[in-house]
Amino acid sequence: MIAVLIILVSCCCFIFSTWYTMYKNRNLPPGPTPLPLIGNLLNIERGALVNSLMTLWKQFGPVYTLYFGSKPVIVICGYEAFKEALVDQNDAFGARGETPALDPFAKSRRIIFTNGERWKLMRTFTFKTLKDFGFGKKSFEGKIQEETRCVMEELRRSQGQPMNPARCFSYAFVNVLCSVIFGERFEYSDKRFSKLIGIVDDIFHTMCSIWGQIYSIFPAMKYIPGPHHKAVSVAKVFIVLMAEIVKSCQETLDPERPRHFVDCFLIRIEKEKNDPSSPFTSENLLYVLHSLFMGASDTVSTTLRHALLIFLKYPDAEDKVREEIDRVIGRDRLPRMDDRLNMPYTQAVMHEVQRFSDIAPLNGPHMVTKDVQFRGYFIPKGTNIYPLLCTVHRDPTQFATPYKFNPNHFLDEKGQFKRNDAWMPFSAGKRMCPGEYMARMEFFIALTTILQNFTLSSEKEFTEDEVAPKLAGFLNFPIQYELSFIPR
């Protein structure tokens, strides 16, 4: 009995000592008091991580501290603090933070969720090669226009009947990525293509689930069995599928005439095969492909679905955009990126859709690369940083009506398009999305082509609440809805 008591007292002393060490004697930003072992787990509403963080923003201000288990996480809110960290001190705040749901999966090999010299080398090669094949360049318009034509055909097949365009949009924009990675597009009926998109959807669904959110704020979950581990197992299925596609590319590879990104990577592998320190390996190619699909699979599709839902609620906005389309582009050719320079209202609407829909409200986790003094507080090297992008897009000092759809946020008194530095749907600093121009090109061409060819209609009248983005874990999505595409 005495021995048990001694053990219990010892455990309590150890727990208290751990708590005292992690919480006291640090000049970290203020925040809610953590509990031993679980940190601030009880301060996070079940299944509502982002909403809980925004509530704490109102309570503790633009910079505060949370504990995920025994580890402190610094949360940065609002435009000024966000800019000061990710832009003004981008070297210090530029590392990628921990992502528990995927970190066990090839942590050192991916280009989105990792750091270091190998990351820099791989990132540089990846995006230089993609650009060599037109990725993000004006010359890439043709591939986007080609895929947009396929989307128009799918929409016409509906013959004006109500439909949910989510699947069609998702397939289209993933196909654009496939055209530069594999050198070809897939038919929407291709079973392997459908499987590929389904796998990526499963990974996001797992990470955004309640279990996935708990895993993110309570790292000890890695020792507990449960559905939060599914993201890793599904990612491995993705790797197997990619290996099959890469093998078919390898069988027809001509080193003198690379056709696409995979060819270039395979050629680099062969060139450095005798260098044991080279990151260019067949295994790493598969993980790079995983990163690319994770980063570009559903963003434009989700944004476009937000835009169409908004037009159903605000038909005047749809009419004004279509008026610019008819005046600037007409009906006899496909839209081009240059057209947007003469379409101020359309630009304003697109920017406002991206601000209002706020697809990635949590942004990606960051990490400080060195000890940092930030707004009078000390942040030690290796501390995880959560820069809340949603607090930038909902900052009342930057946007007159932050929770309402309002294109006037991006129009001056003369009705001309005006920029706003607080518009950051692609984040900012070193981890800013490298596919920004590509995504903006896809969004503009797809949206204007749809309105050029169709009038939108729905039997249902949507409320403002229904139009507002709906948070699902770490991401915002529109509600599920149907609409009719009436040929013009």
Side-chain angles (χ1 to χ4, degrees):
M1 184 68 181
I2 294 177
V4 174
L5 182 61
I6 292 174
I7 292 173
L8 288 173
V9 171
S10 298
C11 289
C12 290
C13 289
F14 173 76
I15 292 173
F16 179 79
S17 174
T18 301
W19 173 84
Y20 189 84
T21 300
M22 78 176 189
Y23 183 60
K24 297 296 182 181
N25 301 323
R26 292 187 178 189
N27 186 29
L28 292 173
T33 303
L35 296 174
L37 299 181
I38 65 172
N40 291 115
L41 180 62
L42 299 183
N43 294 98
I44 306 299
E45 183 182 349
R46 182 170 176 259
L49 174 60
V50 176
N51 290 340
S52 298
L53 297 181
M54 290 192 71
T55 299
L56 293 170
W57 169 37
K58 297 174 183 178
Q59 183 176 355
F60 292 100
V63 185
Y64 63 87
T65 304
L66 282 180
Y67 282 85
F68 289 180
S70 61
K71 291 185 177 182
V73 172
I74 309 303
V75 184
I76 296 177
C77 307
Y79 169 68
E80 292 297 338
F82 192 100
K83 175 180 176 295
E84 187 177 334
L86 268 61
V87 179
D88 299 342
Q89 299 188 51
N90 64 83
D91 285 335
F93 287 85
R96 176 59 71 211
E98 296 175 345
T99 51
L102 281 176
D103 279 345
F105 174 70
K107 183 175 181 179
S108 65
R109 300 182 178 94
R110 290 172 285 121
I111 61 173
I112 292 180
F113 302 109
T114 190
N115 304 293
E117 291 302 318
R118 289 166 67 90
W119 165 76
K120 291 180 182 178
L121 177 62
M122 194 63 68
R123 179 184 170 94
T124 299
F125 169 84
T126 296
F127 292 106
K128 179 183 181 303
T129 303
L130 291 175
K131 284 184 178 180
D132 288 343
F133 286 99
F135 184 85
K137 293 183 178 180
K138 186 177 183 300
S139 59
F140 203 66
E141 275 186 343
K143 291 186 181 295
I144 298 174
Q145 290 172 333
E146 177 187 355
E147 202 61 45
T148 302
R149 289 190 189 96
C150 296
V151 172
M152 295 305 105
E153 291 176 7
E154 289 289 315
L155 299 183
R156 289 190 184 95
R157 288 193 187 101
S158 69
Q159 297 183 335
Q161 296 300 307
M163 65 173 291
N164 183 342
R167 173 184 171 276
C168 174
F169 292 164
S170 180
Y171 281 32
F173 297 119
V174 173
N175 241 342
V176 173
L177 181 64
C178 288
S179 69
V180 69
I181 291 178
F182 305 124
E184 63 177 336
R185 65 179 299 278
F186 294 87
E187 294 299 326
Y188 296 168
S189 58
D190 188 296
K191 292 183 178 179
R192 188 168 57 175
F193 186 52
S194 298
K195 182 179 179 181
L196 169 64
I197 293 178
I199 290 171
V200 175
D201 287 344
D202 279 350
I203 294 173
F204 277 119
H205 178 76
T206 301
M207 294 177 66
C208 291
S209 68
I210 292 176
W211 279 87
Q213 293 179 64
I214 295 175
Y215 193 4
S216 296
I217 60 180
F218 191 48
M221 290 287 289
K222 66 182 178 181
Y223 302 111
I224 302 173
H228 52 291
H229 294 292
K230 183 183 177 183
V232 172
S233 61
V234 174
K236 291 178 179 177
V237 176
F238 176 91
I239 291 298
V240 172
L241 180 59
M242 283 296 102
E244 294 175 0
I245 299 176
V246 168
K247 182 180 179 181
S248 64
C249 294
Q250 198 163 18
E251 291 171 349
T252 56
L253 172 65
D254 180 353
E256 300 300 322
R257 297 179 180 179
R259 300 158 296 183
H260 43 69
F261 173 80
V262 170
D263 275 2
C264 291
F265 204 107
L266 291 171
I267 292 170
R268 186 70 175 265
I269 291 172
E270 179 64 22
K271 182 179 179 181
E272 300 186 11
K273 65 181 180 181
N274 295 322
D275 180 0
S277 65
S278 173
F280 292 93
T281 65
S282 297
E283 185 182 25
N284 278 359
L285 169 57
L286 301 178
Y287 292 111
V288 168
L289 294 177
H290 176 267
S291 288
L292 291 173
F293 277 93
M294 286 292 293
S297 64
D298 205 36
T299 51
V300 180
S301 171
T302 301
T303 304
L304 186 56
R305 288 190 290 125
H306 271 292
L308 301 188
L309 178 60
I310 287 168
F311 284 150
L312 292 175
K313 171 62 180 174
Y314 303 104
D316 286 349
E318 177 189 346
D319 292 340
K320 290 180 181 178
V321 171
R322 185 177 287 106
E323 184 278 327
E324 280 193 337
I325 293 171
D326 290 345
R327 176 167 48 83
V328 176
I329 303 172
R331 302 283 298 278
D332 299 327
R333 67 171 176 86
L334 287 171
R336 299 189 294 260
M337 278 297 281
D338 288 347
D339 293 325
R340 77 193 195 284
L341 301 177
N342 298 312
M343 303 171 69
Y345 186 79
T346 300
Q347 283 204 75
V349 165
M350 290 176 59
H351 278 67
E352 179 64 358
V353 166
Q354 290 177 296
R355 182 205 70 84
F356 180 74
S357 61
D358 195 33
I359 289 176
L362 194 59
N363 203 3
H366 285 233
M367 180 186 293
V368 289
T369 59
K370 59 184 179 181
D371 293 345
V372 177
Q373 291 290 335
F374 187 75
R375 294 199 165 194
Y377 301 107
F378 174 74
I379 304 176
K381 177 181 178 180
T383 302
N384 281 326
I385 308 294
Y386 273 36
L388 286 192
L389 191 55
C390 54
T391 64
V392 177
H393 290 154
R394 299 292 184 262
D395 191 331
T397 69
Q398 303 298 315
F399 300 101
T401 57
Y403 290 91
K404 292 182 178 294
F405 175 76
N406 181 3
N408 289 323
H409 288 145
F410 297 95
L411 292 170
D412 63 19
E413 62 278 1
K414 296 181 180 180
Q416 295 301 303
F417 174 72
K418 68 174 182 180
R419 299 187 182 279
N420 187 320
D421 290 340
W423 181 80
M424 297 181 176
F426 302 96
S427 191
K430 283 191 171 184
R431 293 287 175 164
M432 186 174 180
C433 175
E436 174 182 355
Y437 184 75
M438 179 77 162
R440 294 174 67 177
M441 186 187 298
E442 290 175 331
F443 184 32
F444 175 78
I445 292 176
L447 181 67
T448 53
T449 303
I450 288 173
L451 296 188
Q452 182 188 50
N453 288 273
F454 301 98
T455 299
L456 310 179
S457 177
S458 174
E459 296 177 357
K460 176 179 171 56
E461 292 187 5
F462 296 94
T463 66
E464 287 190 357
D465 180 67
E466 288 173 320
V467 171
K470 298 296 180 285
L471 189 65
F474 306 114
L475 303 173
N476 275 324
F477 294 96
I479 61 171
Q480 291 293 325
Y481 68 96
E482 291 189 341
L483 76 163
S484 297
F485 295 88
I486 311 300
R488 297 181 65 196

